[in-house]
Amino acid sequence: MANLVNEFNDYRQKMNEKLLADDNKVIKRIFNLDTNAYMEGALDVKTKELLGLVASAVLRCDDCVKYHLETSYKEGLTKAEVMEALSIATLVGGTIVIPHLRRAYEFWEALEENASK
């Protein structure tokens, strides 16, 4: 299961490098805006990651969910905090979010497994 995290990160890095190498000003600015939006501000980074996670789950973007799960994990959020946020996402998004909730849970377990190695 730990391979799940590595596969996601390897693919994301490879494709981001390709996208950014094309030197498209709009894409580079979007990437920069995304990076800056999640920096500490009036809200702390953990809160922003939970907000991003909830929005990603409601919008049903598995890649986004994985990204925010990993960042949340690295920021020290607990499984209980993340699952509570995902419960809100499922409430807001409805039952169509449940498959994404399953994959999110699986990915969190893979993050925990990676950390224990």
Side-chain angles (χ1 to χ4, degrees), residues 68-87:
H68 290 293
L69 283 172
E70 186 165 16
T71 306
S72 294
Y73 189 85
K74 288 176 180 175
E75 287 294 323
L77 285 156
T78 66
K79 185 177 188 176
E81 291 169 321
V82 167
M83 288 310 299
E84 191 166 320
L86 287 170
S87 70

Side-chain angles (χ1 to χ4, degrees), residues 11-89:
Y11 177 76
R12 184 175 178 276
Q13 181 178 346
K14 179 179 104 179
M15 293 312 298
N16 282 353
E17 287 171 2
K18 286 185 176 194
L19 286 167
L20 293 172
D22 263 356
D23 206 29
N24 180 297
K25 186 189 287 189
V26 174
I27 290 174
K28 283 186 173 188
R29 286 183 175 172
I30 290 169
F31 273 61
N32 183 269
L33 179 61
D34 181 70
T35 298
N36 286 311
Y38 286 94
M39 290 181 169
E40 182 100 18
L43 296 173
D44 63 27
V45 173
K46 289 180 179 182
T47 301
K48 288 183 176 189
E49 284 304 323
L50 289 175
L51 290 167
L53 177 61
V54 169
S56 297
V58 171
L59 292 170
R60 301 186 305 275
C61 175
D62 282 335
D63 279 9
C64 304
V65 168
K66 288 176 182 174
Y67 173 80
H68 290 293
L69 283 172
E70 186 165 16
T71 306
S72 294
Y73 189 85
K74 288 176 180 175
E75 287 294 323
L77 285 156
T78 66
K79 185 177 188 176
E81 291 169 321
V82 167
M83 288 310 299
E84 191 166 320
L86 287 170
S87 70
I88 298 298

